[in-house]
Amino acid sequence: MSLTTPAPLAINADDIAAAQRRLQGHAHRTPVLTSRTADERTGAQVFFKCENLQRMGAFKFRGAFNALAQFTPEQRQRGVIAFSSGNHAQAVALSARLLGMPSVIVMPHDSPAAKLAATRGYQQGQPVSEVVIYDRYTEDREAIGRRLADERGMTLIPPYDHPHVMAGQGTAAAELLEDTGPLDLLLVCVGGGGLISGCAVAAQAASPGTVVIGVEPEAGNDTQQSLALGRIVHIDTPRTIADGAQTQASGKLTFPVIQRLVQGIVTVSDEQLVRTMRFFAERLKMVVEPTGCLAAAALLEGVVPAKGQRVGVIVSGGNVDLARYAELIGGAASA
Amino acid sequence: MSLTTPAPLAINADDIAAAQRRLQGHAHRTPVLTSRTADERTGAQVFFKCENLQRMGAFKFRGAFNALAQFTPEQRQRGVIAFSSGNHAQAVALSARLLGMPSVIVMPHDSPAAKLAATRGYQQGQPVSEVVIYDRYTEDREAIGRRLADERGMTLIPPYDHPHVMAGQGTAAAELLEDTGPLDLLLVCVGGGGLISGCAVAAQAASPGTVVIGVEPEAGNDTQQSLALGRIVHIDTPRTIADGAQTQASGKLTFPVIQRLVQGIVTVSDEQLVRTMRFFAERLKMVVEPTGCLAAAALLEGVVPAKGQRVGVIVSGGNVDLARYAELIGGAASA
């Protein structure tokens, strides 16, 4: 019988502590809100970490800024490149601006006008910064990104599978636990796994007894499947209103962390997400995007029972087109 | 030539400090949020005090709790009565429940079902608590309230014209100034004047250089008229989406404070309120009711210029029917 030491994970608690120092004065320390109604409905004591109130409206700012802040002077001068249609694009554009470096964001041709405008807005005043549009159906965004990175010597920052990004996202849970003290349960949404891997490492360090549960959309449970099979499963782009969790697979760096430190993955339906969006609007007076409702939905809809427990919920973001949002919350009331 | 000492105001800084102690552990210390976009648009440094994230969704909880917490044992036993179709009703119902006393809320027959339900919800578990419905067109709510108060020996707490209510509301500005330090300008919405009178007293104590400006809906500028004429002017119930500011006149106790400590009153249109609701949803990810947008609208729409200044804005509440909210923010975009 031989004992093998498990391979080290991509990040550890020191990386998150260092990220916290880097983000100090740059990221918002987002509020932790409570709700009598949420407590009554679940029988738990619930703490919502409101990353929808983070700069640019999502936790993604943490990871992007933590990554860009570690660029060498040479890298800073050349700038950063990212491909994303969502919050990572805006996070990289804003972080680059704050750190005074050029950014190129590769976005699909059918991105909502509001997201294009927001990304360009964050680039304002930065020379050589631009948005590059590609055709989602005929071009390969990764190839475009890599070609541009090669041609211009820019550094590519992926949306989740990068140790600096993962460590940055983990600061959300680190702050939450500083505010609440030890928790019994922590619920985190899962797309590519950047947020949950960082949060799981932070929780293990600050509150080792915390059970960490990931939440995916019903239609896109690749990580749940991957955990069951013990290897990264790839799925087709899932159809769900949780656009931030439409990833096809966990990352090579995030998955081992999830395997080691996350106790389970549950799923919720789009209908449950809409009810949770309404709950946030009516009760907590907050705009939360569908993906940002994943973790809360698992709790409020009873998917994860939590009676008598102290529960942390990461509310990951609030970036949703206003007309679309109005449509979703204004539909036949069923909350 | 004779010098007369001005009559003392209904409240002073000590009353607000005492209210802060009473509210400790009962009211939320609401977050103060900032927005790069708001700063860029106004050239100011803007601090939003988010009372929409207060318990029951509005600053009204502060005043109601501060008043009820000072009841004698005899008064507590008999309970509290309030007439209100809005946030004051819910604030009194919730405060009564927290303090373990009966409450009777007198509401008009055409109150939105959601508000009736919420008020009844806050009364749950309290014996003898009830909602009394009256016909807005044929009955006099004050007479009903007074008759019930007489018959049952309950204490009537008015929505704004009461020193304990005014002092409670002032704690919002006291907290804001603790967080931000001295401010050049403080913008506060004006209905009956409970919030702005308390906030003006708090500001004078904590930041004597702060200019306090009130904001009314264009259609209901009774306080602006009253200041101009030096006496309380009564107007017809104004038609505006800012339902929390549909008051017909300032209070006898609030008006002298406004006269002495508020530098001016400006007005904003319903259209400006809708644009500001959208701004809050898109940029700050918050649901703010029309009345809660008054102060911010005056700043963001350029009614009050504030370039180079440090500006506090009280965001007073977030209680708006969800279908109505969706309708308002989902309309033809113009933000």
Side-chain angles (χ1 to χ4, degrees):
Chain A
M1 179 177 150
S2 73
L3 287 171
T4 54
T5 313
L9 299 174
I11 57 168
N12 61 37
D14 292 341
D15 297 318
I16 290 170
Q20 277 195 283
R21 288 190 296 273
R22 270 179 221 112
L23 289 172
Q24 185 93 43
H26 300 288
H28 290 324
R29 183 167 187 119
T30 52
V32 175
L33 299 183
T34 58
S35 153
R36 191 184 55 95
T37 313
D39 288 359
E40 284 179 4
R41 191 182 293 187
T42 58
Q45 200 180 350
V46 189
F47 302 94
F48 296 102
K49 176 66 171 171
C50 299
E51 287 298 298
N52 57 325
L53 306 181
Q54 185 51 267
R55 290 186 84 156
M56 49 69 51
F59 73 93
K60 292 274 184 185
F61 177 73
R62 297 176 182 272
F65 191 91
N66 187 48
L68 272 57
Q70 294 179 71
F71 277 19
T72 64
E74 161 79 15
Q75 282 180 307
R76 279 191 192 223
Q77 205 189 334
R78 300 290 187 126
V80 62
I81 190 164
F83 42 83
S84 162
S85 59
N87 289 330
H88 179 62
Q90 297 177 47
V92 168
L94 175 58
S95 299
R97 172 180 155 150
L98 293 171
L99 293 162
M101 67 174 86
S103 66
V104 171
I105 311 295
V106 184
M107 297 180 83
H109 69 290
D110 55 356
S111 301
K115 290 209 166 171
L116 279 174
T119 305
R120 289 196 169 113
Y122 287 127
Q123 289 178 325
Q124 261 169 30
Q126 279 320 109
V128 225
S129 290
E130 60 182 303
V131 171
V132 171
I133 304 294
Y134 74 99
D135 185 324
R136 195 195 279 271
Y137 301 103
T138 61
E139 297 177 279
D140 175 354
R141 69 175 190 176
E142 302 207 19
I144 293 172
R146 272 181 243 289
R147 180 171 50 76
L148 286 168
D150 284 349
E151 280 173 14
R152 308 191 187 183
M154 299 179 102
T155 304
L156 186 70
I157 293 295
Y160 50 86
D161 215 22
H162 188 293
H164 299 173
V165 172
M166 294 159 67
Q169 319 304 33
T171 61
E175 283 180 12
L176 169 64
L177 288 159
E178 280 175 6
D179 286 3
T180 62
L183 295 171
D184 300 309
L185 179 62
L186 178 64
L187 295 166
V188 187
C189 59
V190 180
L195 179 62
I196 197 170
S197 61
C199 288
V201 170
Q204 201 202 24
S207 172
T210 301
V211 170
V212 181
I213 301 284
V215 187
E216 289 185 301
E218 217 169 67
N221 70 334
D222 59 283
T223 308
Q224 193 179 48
Q225 293 183 41
S226 301
L227 274 187
L229 296 178
R231 61 172 175 79
I232 298 172
V233 171
H234 288 253
I235 60 170
D236 289 340
T237 300
R239 284 179 190 275
T240 166
I241 60 169
D243 55 340
Q246 284 182 307
T247 34
Q248 297 174 261
S250 299
K252 290 185 185 68
L253 302 178
T254 60
F255 185 62
V257 180
I258 295 170
Q259 270 191 308
R260 184 101 48 91
L261 300 178
V262 172
Q263 277 75 11
I265 306 270
V266 298
T267 64
V268 298
S269 68
D270 280 4
E271 199 177 69
Q272 291 175 316
L273 291 177
V274 171
R275 278 202 295 269
T276 304
M277 287 175 79
R278 290 190 185 134
F279 172 85
F280 276 122
E282 277 195 318
R283 294 297 176 160
L284 283 149
K285 313 302 174 192
M286 292 200 310
V287 174
V288 182
E289 62 182 273
T291 310
C293 290
L294 280 164
L299 182 68
L300 296 170
E301 296 280 329
V303 178
V304 177
K307 201 169 172 180
Q309 297 189 30
R310 288 167 48 82
V311 185
V313 172
I314 309 278
V315 180
S316 63
N319 291 327
V320 49
D321 176 74
L322 211 54
R324 173 77 173 135
Y325 180 69
E327 204 179 284
L328 287 170
I329 64 165
S334 58
Chain B
M1 180 178 149
S2 72
L3 286 171
T4 54
T5 313
L9 298 175
I11 57 167
N12 61 37
D14 292 341
D15 297 319
I16 291 170
Q20 276 194 286
R21 288 191 296 273
R22 270 179 220 111
L23 289 172
Q24 185 92 43
H26 299 288
H28 290 324
R29 183 168 186 117
T30 53
V32 175
L33 300 183
T34 58
S35 154
R36 191 183 56 93
T37 312
D39 289 359
E40 284 178 3
R41 192 182 292 186
T42 59
Q45 199 180 351
V46 188
F47 301 94
F48 295 102
K49 176 65 171 171
C50 298
E51 287 298 297
N52 58 325
L53 306 181
Q54 185 51 267
R55 288 186 85 158
M56 51 67 52
F59 73 94
K60 291 274 185 184
F61 177 73
R62 297 176 182 270
F65 190 91
N66 187 50
L68 271 59
Q70 294 179 71
F71 276 20
T72 64
E74 160 78 15
Q75 282 179 307
R76 280 192 192 223
Q77 206 189 332
R78 300 289 185 127
V80 63
I81 190 162
F83 42 83
S84 161
S85 59
N87 289 330
H88 179 61
Q90 297 178 47
V92 168
L94 175 59
S95 299
R97 171 180 156 148
L98 294 172
L99 293 162
M101 67 175 86
S103 65
V104 171
I105 312 294
V106 184
M107 297 180 83
H109 70 288
D110 55 356
S111 301
K115 290 210 167 169
L116 279 174
T119 306
R120 288 196 169 112
Y122 287 127
Q123 289 179 325
Q124 261 169 30
Q126 279 322 110
V128 225
S129 290
E130 60 182 302
V131 171
V132 171
I133 304 294
Y134 74 99
D135 185 324
R136 193 196 281 272
Y137 301 103
T138 61
E139 298 177 278
D140 175 353
R141 69 176 190 176
E142 301 206 20
I144 294 172
R146 272 181 241 290
R147 179 170 52 75
L148 286 167
D150 284 349
E151 280 172 15
R152 308 190 186 183
M154 298 179 103
T155 304
L156 186 70
I157 293 295
Y160 50 87
D161 215 22
H162 188 294
H164 301 172
V165 173
M166 293 159 68
Q169 318 305 32
T171 61
E175 283 179 13
L176 169 64
L177 287 160
E178 280 175 7
D179 286 3
T180 62
L183 295 172
D184 300 308
L185 179 63
L186 179 64
L187 294 167
V188 188
C189 59
V190 180
L195 179 62
I196 197 170
S197 60
C199 288
V201 170
Q204 201 202 23
S207 173
T210 300
V211 170
V212 180
I213 301 284
V215 187
E216 289 186 300
E218 217 168 65
N221 70 333
D222 59 283
T223 308
Q224 193 179 47
Q225 293 182 41
S226 301
L227 274 187
L229 296 178
R231 61 173 176 79
I232 298 172
V233 171
H234 289 253
I235 60 169
D236 289 339
T237 299
R239 284 180 190 275
T240 165
I241 59 169
D243 55 339
Q246 283 182 307
T247 34
Q248 297 174 261
S250 298
K252 289 185 186 65
L253 301 179
T254 59
F255 185 62
V257 180
I258 295 171
Q259 270 190 309
R260 184 101 50 92
L261 300 178
V262 172
Q263 278 74 13
I265 305 271
V266 298
T267 65
V268 299
S269 68
D270 280 5
E271 199 177 69
Q272 291 175 316
L273 291 177
V274 170
R275 278 202 295 268
T276 304
M277 288 175 78
R278 289 190 186 135
F279 171 84
F280 276 121
E282 277 195 317
R283 295 295 176 162
L284 283 150
K285 313 302 174 193
M286 292 200 309
V287 175
V288 183
E289 62 184 270
T291 310
C293 290
L294 280 165
L299 182 68
L300 296 169
E301 297 280 330
V303 178
V304 178
K307 201 169 170 180
Q309 298 188 31
R310 288 167 48 81
V311 185
V313 172
I314 309 280
V315 181
S316 63
N319 290 328
V320 49
D321 176 74
L322 211 55
R324 173 78 174 135
Y325 179 70
E327 204 179 284
L328 287 171
I329 64 166
S334 57

